Amino acid sequence: MKINLTRIFKLSSQNVILPAVMVWLAVGVLLQAQVVRQSLPNPNNEPRAVFPVPTERQMLWQEVEFYAFFHYGMNTFTGKEWGFGDEVGTIFAPTSLPDCRQWVQTAKKAGMKGGLAIVKHHDGFCLWPTESTTHNVMRSANLGPQVNIPRDFAKASKAEGMKYGFYISPWDRNSALYGTDRYVTDVFLKQVSEVSKYGNGDQFEIWFDGANGGDGYYGGQRGTRQINEKIYYDMPNLVDSIHKLQPNCVVWGDKGWSEARWIGNEQGWAGVTNWASADRDDLTRNALTNGQENGWAWIPGEADAKATDSGWFWHRGETPYSLDKLYKMYLETVGRNATLILNLPPNQQGGLPPATVTRMEELGNLLKNRLGNDLAKQATVMASEERTAGQNRTYVASHLTDDNKDTYWATNDATINGASVTLKWDTPVNAHYVMLQEFVRKGQRVKRFTIETSPDGNMWTKRATDITTTIGHKRIVPLNGSTDVYGPGYNVKAIRITFDDSRACPLLHTISVY
Ligand code: FUL
């Protein structure tokens, strides 16, 4: 039968047919949507994603967690932090070749998994024999012309099984062309592509600093050059080209196009609440530090901080920060769903000074001692609810301690608040930290949780209640609530974590106790 809608609508003005038809249509649409949803094949009963979600390269990047920054270059020899661009090449006069292997080994000893080397800072001096400018190592003195940081750093990193990346300053205070289109195509892009040739296309991050003070040498013209930072470097296309050359390379920047965001300070801390999502086009200071629960893009935070007290570059008389301060940085960045890029400045001999090396060894040992022995491995893990298994996937609580980040515990869709996981030990253990990791491939979900400890399995005490908000890739909660004081820890027979509120059913792949 053909329904004549026009006729029905005409009639309806005098009676109830119109509302009835509208209700009928609406119910039909809803039912259809429901049928479509239910009939989508989901044999494994997988939870639906909560968007935004990370890209594959962001997933790989996030796992690097803790890595080094190596500020070495012209400033190492002038003692400046920002060279003006008028430094003659011969000032760069290393008497020994930079020992990239020692840099990387030191980072490794600190527990880092990679590093980024500065290959060109704002002064424009390139640390490899580039064709893009004469202001490069070929015009330097002593062993300078043999220096090639991108080549040697990539090689050393590979030899040590570490990730590598580069920092190439877009702002160039030396180039006469800076401010023109030719600078972008013939100088800057060329430099990025030259550097991309080193290391077989597996660079994990490239850093494009946003600093631009305006003034500089600019090929002898000295003065101020203004650019429109949003469009000058044609970043969207540059990012695209980088991905073609380096598929796993996350492009860092403090502008909307970046794949990882600045955390908003250079002191080495992220917000207690820290979402990996944020609105690309509205990165206020709060959004940088805390992310935004309903932000539309996945842009996880990276915290850049110095390990020494005198600057990003090496300076005479510099001292490494105390072990306590560095450890606190780690807890407040890696332990708060951000990554930590910690700066280690090589000196004029091209090596990291002994004091820096020693401090990094101490840091590595401390991290191993305090966060290296996972007590959850000896615990029995139970959950208040386990999501109904699918054909080839289960969501049982034991996935939380199986050392596999691809398996996870989950609840059923309806349980977005109140589910809990309990870890129990036969004999009491001494616990200082709980470490939690969400299965972020399906989005960052948990908004608030509670940790309780029990000395006997009956009496429960809430711990660190002020800071148990978001989780994300990794959250390390000191049970005493402090990132300053390690304390004696708590003797516990059980720990219970309740997921009080989530954007959708919670999914966690790991819980550890230290
Ligand atoms: C800043 C730069 O201006 C500093 O010199 C340093 O390289 C730091 C990591 O980023 O914005």
PDB file of all heavy atoms in Angstrom, residues 321-352:
ATOM      1  N   TYR A 321      70.581  18.863  38.752  1.00  0.00           N
ATOM      2  CA  TYR A 321      69.589  18.971  39.827  1.00  0.00           C
ATOM      3  C   TYR A 321      69.681  17.758  40.743  1.00  0.00           C
ATOM      4  O   TYR A 321      70.200  16.699  40.367  1.00  0.00           O
ATOM      5  CB  TYR A 321      68.177  19.056  39.241  1.00  0.00           C
ATOM      6  CG  TYR A 321      67.848  20.405  38.640  1.00  0.00           C
ATOM      7  CD1 TYR A 321      67.153  20.493  37.435  1.00  0.00           C
ATOM      8  CD2 TYR A 321      68.200  21.588  39.283  1.00  0.00           C
ATOM      9  CE1 TYR A 321      66.825  21.719  36.886  1.00  0.00           C
ATOM     10  CE2 TYR A 321      67.878  22.820  38.736  1.00  0.00           C
ATOM     11  CZ  TYR A 321      67.191  22.886  37.530  1.00  0.00           C
ATOM     12  OH  TYR A 321      66.873  24.085  36.990  1.00  0.00           O
ATOM     13  N   SER A 322      69.108  17.905  41.940  1.00  0.00           N
ATOM     14  CA  SER A 322      69.172  16.814  42.921  1.00  0.00           C
ATOM     15  C   SER A 322      68.352  15.622  42.430  1.00  0.00           C
ATOM     16  O   SER A 322      67.421  15.759  41.623  1.00  0.00           O
ATOM     17  CB  SER A 322      68.622  17.292  44.264  1.00  0.00           C
ATOM     18  OG  SER A 322      67.220  17.443  44.154  1.00  0.00           O
ATOM     19  N   LEU A 323      68.718  14.483  42.950  1.00  0.00           N
ATOM     20  CA  LEU A 323      68.021  13.253  42.600  1.00  0.00           C
ATOM     21  C   LEU A 323      66.535  13.346  42.965  1.00  0.00           C
ATOM     22  O   LEU A 323      65.662  12.938  42.191  1.00  0.00           O
ATOM     23  CB  LEU A 323      68.703  12.104  43.352  1.00  0.00           C
ATOM     24  CG  LEU A 323      68.339  10.695  42.950  1.00  0.00           C
ATOM     25  CD1 LEU A 323      68.534  10.483  41.466  1.00  0.00           C
ATOM     26  CD2 LEU A 323      69.189   9.708  43.750  1.00  0.00           C
ATOM     27  N   ASP A 324      66.258  13.931  44.126  1.00  0.00           N
ATOM     28  CA  ASP A 324      64.862  14.061  44.569  1.00  0.00           C
ATOM     29  C   ASP A 324      64.045  14.874  43.582  1.00  0.00           C
ATOM     30  O   ASP A 324      62.907  14.557  43.258  1.00  0.00           O
ATOM     31  CB  ASP A 324      64.796  14.763  45.939  1.00  0.00           C
ATOM     32  CG  ASP A 324      65.151  13.813  47.065  1.00  0.00           C
ATOM     33  OD1 ASP A 324      65.209  12.593  46.801  1.00  0.00           O
ATOM     34  OD2 ASP A 324      65.386  14.294  48.188  1.00  0.00           O
ATOM     35  N   LYS A 325      64.662  15.958  43.109  1.00  0.00           N
ATOM     36  CA  LYS A 325      63.946  16.846  42.186  1.00  0.00           C
ATOM     37  C   LYS A 325      63.661  16.133  40.851  1.00  0.00           C
ATOM     38  O   LYS A 325      62.566  16.235  40.294  1.00  0.00           O
ATOM     39  CB  LYS A 325      64.799  18.097  41.940  1.00  0.00           C
ATOM     40  CG  LYS A 325      64.114  19.172  41.132  1.00  0.00           C
ATOM     41  CD  LYS A 325      65.010  20.400  41.012  1.00  0.00           C
ATOM     42  CE  LYS A 325      64.527  21.331  39.918  1.00  0.00           C
ATOM     43  NZ  LYS A 325      63.736  22.443  40.394  1.00  0.00           N
ATOM     44  N   LEU A 326      64.660  15.384  40.376  1.00  0.00           N
ATOM     45  CA  LEU A 326      64.487  14.685  39.099  1.00  0.00           C
ATOM     46  C   LEU A 326      63.455  13.558  39.221  1.00  0.00           C
ATOM     47  O   LEU A 326      62.643  13.334  38.324  1.00  0.00           O
ATOM     48  CB  LEU A 326      65.835  14.136  38.615  1.00  0.00           C
ATOM     49  CG  LEU A 326      66.876  15.208  38.276  1.00  0.00           C
ATOM     50  CD1 LEU A 326      68.242  14.571  38.044  1.00  0.00           C
ATOM     51  CD2 LEU A 326      66.458  16.015  37.050  1.00  0.00           C
ATOM     52  N   TYR A 327      63.495  12.874  40.361  1.00  0.00           N
ATOM     53  CA  TYR A 327      62.540  11.784  40.581  1.00  0.00           C
ATOM     54  C   TYR A 327      61.104  12.342  40.665  1.00  0.00           C
ATOM     55  O   TYR A 327      60.163  11.767  40.114  1.00  0.00           O
ATOM     56  CB  TYR A 327      62.922  11.038  41.864  1.00  0.00           C
ATOM     57  CG  TYR A 327      62.015   9.881  42.176  1.00  0.00           C
ATOM     58  CD1 TYR A 327      61.981   8.768  41.344  1.00  0.00           C
ATOM     59  CD2 TYR A 327      61.179   9.911  43.291  1.00  0.00           C
ATOM     60  CE1 TYR A 327      61.132   7.704  41.625  1.00  0.00           C
ATOM     61  CE2 TYR A 327      60.334   8.851  43.576  1.00  0.00           C
ATOM     62  CZ  TYR A 327      60.314   7.749  42.743  1.00  0.00           C
ATOM     63  OH  TYR A 327      59.474   6.708  43.017  1.00  0.00           O
ATOM     64  N   LYS A 328      60.993  13.473  41.334  1.00  0.00           N
ATOM     65  CA  LYS A 328      59.680  14.132  41.442  1.00  0.00           C
ATOM     66  C   LYS A 328      59.150  14.488  40.034  1.00  0.00           C
ATOM     67  O   LYS A 328      57.976  14.292  39.724  1.00  0.00           O
ATOM     68  CB  LYS A 328      59.833  15.399  42.285  1.00  0.00           C
ATOM     69  CG  LYS A 328      58.556  16.222  42.475  1.00  0.00           C
ATOM     70  CD  LYS A 328      58.898  17.465  43.314  1.00  0.00           C
ATOM     71  CE  LYS A 328      57.795  18.520  43.296  1.00  0.00           C
ATOM     72  NZ  LYS A 328      56.676  18.174  44.159  1.00  0.00           N
ATOM     73  N   MET A 329      60.060  15.011  39.201  1.00  0.00           N
ATOM     74  CA  MET A 329      59.664  15.334  37.820  1.00  0.00           C
ATOM     75  C   MET A 329      59.105  14.101  37.118  1.00  0.00           C
ATOM     76  O   MET A 329      58.103  14.166  36.420  1.00  0.00           O
ATOM     77  CB  MET A 329      60.882  15.805  37.002  1.00  0.00           C
ATOM     78  CG  MET A 329      61.309  17.206  37.231  1.00  0.00           C
ATOM     79  SD  MET A 329      62.681  17.492  36.059  1.00  0.00           S
ATOM     80  CE  MET A 329      63.310  19.019  36.711  1.00  0.00           C
ATOM     81  N   TYR A 330      59.796  12.991  37.313  1.00  0.00           N
ATOM     82  CA  TYR A 330      59.363  11.754  36.659  1.00  0.00           C
ATOM     83  C   TYR A 330      57.939  11.396  37.106  1.00  0.00           C
ATOM     84  O   TYR A 330      57.055  11.128  36.293  1.00  0.00           O
ATOM     85  CB  TYR A 330      60.346  10.622  36.987  1.00  0.00           C
ATOM     86  CG  TYR A 330      59.993   9.313  36.325  1.00  0.00           C
ATOM     87  CD1 TYR A 330      60.489   8.993  35.070  1.00  0.00           C
ATOM     88  CD2 TYR A 330      59.143   8.398  36.955  1.00  0.00           C
ATOM     89  CE1 TYR A 330      60.151   7.794  34.445  1.00  0.00           C
ATOM     90  CE2 TYR A 330      58.797   7.200  36.342  1.00  0.00           C
ATOM     91  CZ  TYR A 330      59.308   6.901  35.094  1.00  0.00           C
ATOM     92  OH  TYR A 330      58.959   5.718  34.491  1.00  0.00           O
ATOM     93  N   LEU A 331      57.734  11.420  38.428  1.00  0.00           N
ATOM     94  CA  LEU A 331      56.407  11.054  38.954  1.00  0.00           C
ATOM     95  C   LEU A 331      55.322  11.999  38.447  1.00  0.00           C
ATOM     96  O   LEU A 331      54.197  11.590  38.199  1.00  0.00           O
ATOM     97  CB  LEU A 331      56.416  11.087  40.489  1.00  0.00           C
ATOM     98  CG  LEU A 331      57.218  10.012  41.213  1.00  0.00           C
ATOM     99  CD1 LEU A 331      57.155  10.242  42.719  1.00  0.00           C
ATOM    100  CD2 LEU A 331      56.694   8.611  40.877  1.00  0.00           C
ATOM    101  N   GLU A 332      55.686  13.281  38.292  1.00  0.00           N
ATOM    102  CA  GLU A 332      54.669  14.281  37.924  1.00  0.00           C
ATOM    103  C   GLU A 332      54.512  14.444  36.409  1.00  0.00           C
ATOM    104  O   GLU A 332      53.779  15.318  35.953  1.00  0.00           O
ATOM    105  CB  GLU A 332      55.008  15.621  38.587  1.00  0.00           C
ATOM    106  CG  GLU A 332      54.900  15.521  40.105  1.00  0.00           C
ATOM    107  CD  GLU A 332      55.052  16.852  40.818  1.00  0.00           C
ATOM    108  OE1 GLU A 332      55.399  17.854  40.168  1.00  0.00           O
ATOM    109  OE2 GLU A 332      54.827  16.861  42.044  1.00  0.00           O
ATOM    110  N   THR A 333      55.229  13.677  35.650  1.00  0.00           N
ATOM    111  CA  THR A 333      55.051  13.727  34.181  1.00  0.00           C
ATOM    112  C   THR A 333      54.673  12.337  33.677  1.00  0.00           C
ATOM    113  O   THR A 333      53.508  12.073  33.392  1.00  0.00           O
ATOM    114  CB  THR A 333      56.337  14.239  33.485  1.00  0.00           C
ATOM    115  OG1 THR A 333      57.447  13.429  33.904  1.00  0.00           O
ATOM    116  CG2 THR A 333      56.595  15.690  33.823  1.00  0.00           C
ATOM    117  N   VAL A 334      55.645  11.424  33.672  1.00  0.00           N
ATOM    118  CA  VAL A 334      55.348  10.051  33.227  1.00  0.00           C
ATOM    119  C   VAL A 334      54.220   9.471  34.087  1.00  0.00           C
ATOM    120  O   VAL A 334      53.332   8.786  33.585  1.00  0.00           O
ATOM    121  CB  VAL A 334      56.610   9.167  33.307  1.00  0.00           C
ATOM    122  CG1 VAL A 334      56.293   7.731  32.902  1.00  0.00           C
ATOM    123  CG2 VAL A 334      57.706   9.730  32.411  1.00  0.00           C
ATOM    124  N   GLY A 335      54.240   9.795  35.374  1.00  0.00           N
ATOM    125  CA  GLY A 335      53.215   9.291  36.285  1.00  0.00           C
ATOM    126  C   GLY A 335      51.893  10.032  36.181  1.00  0.00           C
ATOM    127  O   GLY A 335      50.948   9.726  36.899  1.00  0.00           O
ATOM    128  N   ARG A 336      51.831  11.022  35.285  1.00  0.00           N
ATOM    129  CA  ARG A 336      50.577  11.769  35.099  1.00  0.00           C
ATOM    130  C   ARG A 336      50.204  11.839  33.619  1.00  0.00           C
ATOM    131  O   ARG A 336      49.809  12.891  33.108  1.00  0.00           O
ATOM    132  CB  ARG A 336      50.714  13.195  35.652  1.00  0.00           C
ATOM    133  CG  ARG A 336      50.780  13.252  37.170  1.00  0.00           C
ATOM    134  CD  ARG A 336      50.825  14.697  37.622  1.00  0.00           C
ATOM    135  NE  ARG A 336      50.964  14.794  39.059  1.00  0.00           N
ATOM    136  CZ  ARG A 336      51.241  15.939  39.686  1.00  0.00           C
ATOM    137  NH1 ARG A 336      51.411  17.050  38.971  1.00  0.00           N
ATOM    138  NH2 ARG A 336      51.363  15.966  40.993  1.00  0.00           N
ATOM    139  N   ASN A 337      50.412  10.757  32.934  1.00  0.00           N
ATOM    140  CA  ASN A 337      49.938  10.646  31.550  1.00  0.00           C
ATOM    141  C   ASN A 337      50.603  11.626  30.594  1.00  0.00           C
ATOM    142  O   ASN A 337      50.003  12.060  29.623  1.00  0.00           O
ATOM    143  CB  ASN A 337      48.406  10.821  31.516  1.00  0.00           C
ATOM    144  CG  ASN A 337      47.806  10.446  30.179  1.00  0.00           C
ATOM    145  OD1 ASN A 337      48.322   9.569  29.492  1.00  0.00           O
ATOM    146  ND2 ASN A 337      46.729  11.110  29.799  1.00  0.00           N
ATOM    147  N   ALA A 338      51.854  12.001  30.888  1.00  0.00           N
ATOM    148  CA  ALA A 338      52.611  12.824  29.932  1.00  0.00           C
ATOM    149  C   ALA A 338      53.919  12.085  29.656  1.00  0.00           C
ATOM    150  O   ALA A 338      54.228  11.093  30.319  1.00  0.00           O
ATOM    151  CB  ALA A 338      52.900  14.198  30.518  1.00  0.00           C
ATOM    152  N   THR A 339      54.688  12.561  28.678  1.00  0.00           N
ATOM    153  CA  THR A 339      56.043  12.031  28.532  1.00  0.00           C
ATOM    154  C   THR A 339      56.996  13.075  29.118  1.00  0.00           C
ATOM    155  O   THR A 339      56.637  14.247  29.258  1.00  0.00           O
ATOM    156  CB  THR A 339      56.409  11.769  27.064  1.00  0.00           C
ATOM    157  OG1 THR A 339      56.367  13.006  26.345  1.00  0.00           O
ATOM    158  CG2 THR A 339      55.467  10.771  26.417  1.00  0.00           C
ATOM    159  N   LEU A 340      58.210  12.625  29.462  1.00  0.00           N
ATOM    160  CA  LEU A 340      59.219  13.545  29.997  1.00  0.00           C
ATOM    161  C   LEU A 340      60.433  13.546  29.082  1.00  0.00           C
ATOM    162  O   LEU A 340      61.040  12.496  28.838  1.00  0.00           O
ATOM    163  CB  LEU A 340      59.634  13.112  31.411  1.00  0.00           C
ATOM    164  CG  LEU A 340      60.816  13.880  32.042  1.00  0.00           C
ATOM    165  CD1 LEU A 340      60.539  15.381  32.147  1.00  0.00           C
ATOM    166  CD2 LEU A 340      61.148  13.323  33.430  1.00  0.00           C
ATOM    167  N   ILE A 341      60.768  14.736  28.550  1.00  0.00           N
ATOM    168  CA  ILE A 341      61.986  14.889  27.760  1.00  0.00           C
ATOM    169  C   ILE A 341      62.944  15.731  28.606  1.00  0.00           C
ATOM    170  O   ILE A 341      62.728  16.916  28.823  1.00  0.00           O
ATOM    171  CB  ILE A 341      61.703  15.456  26.344  1.00  0.00           C
ATOM    172  CG1 ILE A 341      63.003  15.718  25.583  1.00  0.00           C
ATOM    173  CG2 ILE A 341      60.821  16.672  26.341  1.00  0.00           C
ATOM    174  CD1 ILE A 341      62.822  15.882  24.076  1.00  0.00           C
ATOM    175  N   LEU A 342      63.955  15.044  29.118  1.00  0.00           N
ATOM    176  CA  LEU A 342      64.844  15.646  30.107  1.00  0.00           C
ATOM    177  C   LEU A 342      66.162  16.031  29.450  1.00  0.00           C
ATOM    178  O   LEU A 342      66.810  15.202  28.814  1.00  0.00           O
ATOM    179  CB  LEU A 342      65.072  14.620  31.230  1.00  0.00           C
ATOM    180  CG  LEU A 342      65.832  15.093  32.462  1.00  0.00           C
ATOM    181  CD1 LEU A 342      65.086  16.195  33.203  1.00  0.00           C
ATOM    182  CD2 LEU A 342      66.074  13.910  33.414  1.00  0.00           C
ATOM    183  N   ASN A 343      66.551  17.295  29.636  1.00  0.00           N
ATOM    184  CA  ASN A 343      67.707  17.815  28.899  1.00  0.00           C
ATOM    185  C   ASN A 343      69.046  17.537  29.582  1.00  0.00           C
ATOM    186  O   ASN A 343      69.242  17.859  30.753  1.00  0.00           O
ATOM    187  CB  ASN A 343      67.548  19.326  28.721  1.00  0.00           C
ATOM    188  CG  ASN A 343      68.621  19.891  27.834  1.00  0.00           C
ATOM    189  OD1 ASN A 343      68.731  19.500  26.671  1.00  0.00           O
ATOM    190  ND2 ASN A 343      69.434  20.785  28.359  1.00  0.00           N
ATOM    191  N   LEU A 344      69.968  16.967  28.802  1.00  0.00           N
ATOM    192  CA  LEU A 344      71.327  16.679  29.277  1.00  0.00           C
ATOM    193  C   LEU A 344      72.290  17.402  28.341  1.00  0.00           C
ATOM    194  O   LEU A 344      72.451  16.988  27.196  1.00  0.00           O
ATOM    195  CB  LEU A 344      71.599  15.168  29.230  1.00  0.00           C
ATOM    196  CG  LEU A 344      70.528  14.251  29.833  1.00  0.00           C
ATOM    197  CD1 LEU A 344      70.877  12.787  29.577  1.00  0.00           C
ATOM    198  CD2 LEU A 344      70.402  14.494  31.334  1.00  0.00           C
ATOM    199  N   PRO A 345      72.939  18.484  28.775  1.00  0.00           N
ATOM    200  CA  PRO A 345      73.771  19.238  27.837  1.00  0.00           C
ATOM    201  C   PRO A 345      75.204  18.708  27.710  1.00  0.00           C
ATOM    202  O   PRO A 345      75.952  18.724  28.696  1.00  0.00           O
ATOM    203  CB  PRO A 345      73.790  20.656  28.427  1.00  0.00           C
ATOM    204  CG  PRO A 345      73.060  20.599  29.727  1.00  0.00           C
ATOM    205  CD  PRO A 345      72.797  19.169  30.074  1.00  0.00           C
ATOM    206  N   PRO A 346      75.608  18.273  26.507  1.00  0.00           N
ATOM    207  CA  PRO A 346      77.002  17.895  26.297  1.00  0.00           C
ATOM    208  C   PRO A 346      77.898  19.137  26.375  1.00  0.00           C
ATOM    209  O   PRO A 346      77.476  20.239  26.006  1.00  0.00           O
ATOM    210  CB  PRO A 346      77.017  17.313  24.878  1.00  0.00           C
ATOM    211  CG  PRO A 346      75.589  16.956  24.592  1.00  0.00           C
ATOM    212  CD  PRO A 346      74.779  17.969  25.334  1.00  0.00           C
ATOM    213  N   ASN A 347      79.148  18.937  26.821  1.00  0.00           N
ATOM    214  CA  ASN A 347      80.057  20.070  26.997  1.00  0.00           C
ATOM    215  C   ASN A 347      80.930  20.294  25.754  1.00  0.00           C
ATOM    216  O   ASN A 347      80.732  19.652  24.724  1.00  0.00           O
ATOM    217  CB  ASN A 347      80.908  19.863  28.255  1.00  0.00           C
ATOM    218  CG  ASN A 347      81.743  18.594  28.163  1.00  0.00           C
ATOM    219  OD1 ASN A 347      81.957  18.044  27.085  1.00  0.00           O
ATOM    220  ND2 ASN A 347      82.214  18.119  29.315  1.00  0.00           N
ATOM    221  N   GLN A 348      81.950  21.170  25.888  1.00  0.00           N
ATOM    222  CA  GLN A 348      82.779  21.502  24.731  1.00  0.00           C
ATOM    223  C   GLN A 348      83.622  20.326  24.249  1.00  0.00           C
ATOM    224  O   GLN A 348      84.068  20.312  23.110  1.00  0.00           O
ATOM    225  CB  GLN A 348      83.674  22.708  25.068  1.00  0.00           C
ATOM    226  CG  GLN A 348      82.854  23.968  25.266  1.00  0.00           C
ATOM    227  CD  GLN A 348      83.698  25.196  25.584  1.00  0.00           C
ATOM    228  OE1 GLN A 348      84.879  25.080  25.910  1.00  0.00           O
ATOM    229  NE2 GLN A 348      83.085  26.362  25.507  1.00  0.00           N
ATOM    230  N   GLN A 349      83.835  19.341  25.118  1.00  0.00           N
ATOM    231  CA  GLN A 349      84.563  18.135  24.689  1.00  0.00           C
ATOM    232  C   GLN A 349      83.622  17.166  23.958  1.00  0.00           C
ATOM    233  O   GLN A 349      84.030  16.090  23.523  1.00  0.00           O
ATOM    234  CB  GLN A 349      85.196  17.410  25.890  1.00  0.00           C
ATOM    235  CG  GLN A 349      86.464  18.072  26.443  1.00  0.00           C
ATOM    236  CD  GLN A 349      86.137  19.370  27.181  1.00  0.00           C
ATOM    237  OE1 GLN A 349      85.253  19.389  28.029  1.00  0.00           O
ATOM    238  NE2 GLN A 349      86.823  20.440  26.828  1.00  0.00           N
ATOM    239  N   GLY A 350      82.359  17.546  23.891  1.00  0.00           N
ATOM    240  CA  GLY A 350      81.412  16.711  23.145  1.00  0.00           C
ATOM    241  C   GLY A 350      80.861  15.551  23.937  1.00  0.00           C
ATOM    242  O   GLY A 350      80.244  14.636  23.383  1.00  0.00           O
ATOM    243  N   GLY A 351      81.073  15.603  25.260  1.00  0.00           N
ATOM    244  CA  GLY A 351      80.546  14.521  26.093  1.00  0.00           C
ATOM    245  C   GLY A 351      79.668  15.075  27.199  1.00  0.00           C
ATOM    246  O   GLY A 351      79.663  16.283  27.468  1.00  0.00           O
ATOM    247  N   LEU A 352      78.934  14.201  27.849  1.00  0.00           N
ATOM    248  CA  LEU A 352      78.178  14.641  29.024  1.00  0.00           C
ATOM    249  C   LEU A 352      79.145  14.656  30.199  1.00  0.00           C
ATOM    250  O   LEU A 352      79.897  13.692  30.408  1.00  0.00           O
ATOM    251  CB  LEU A 352      77.017  13.683  29.290  1.00  0.00           C
ATOM    252  CG  LEU A 352      75.938  13.673  28.206  1.00  0.00           C
ATOM    253  CD1 LEU A 352      74.927  12.566  28.463  1.00  0.00           C
ATOM    254  CD2 LEU A 352      75.226  15.033  28.142  1.00  0.00           C
TER     255      LEU A 352
END
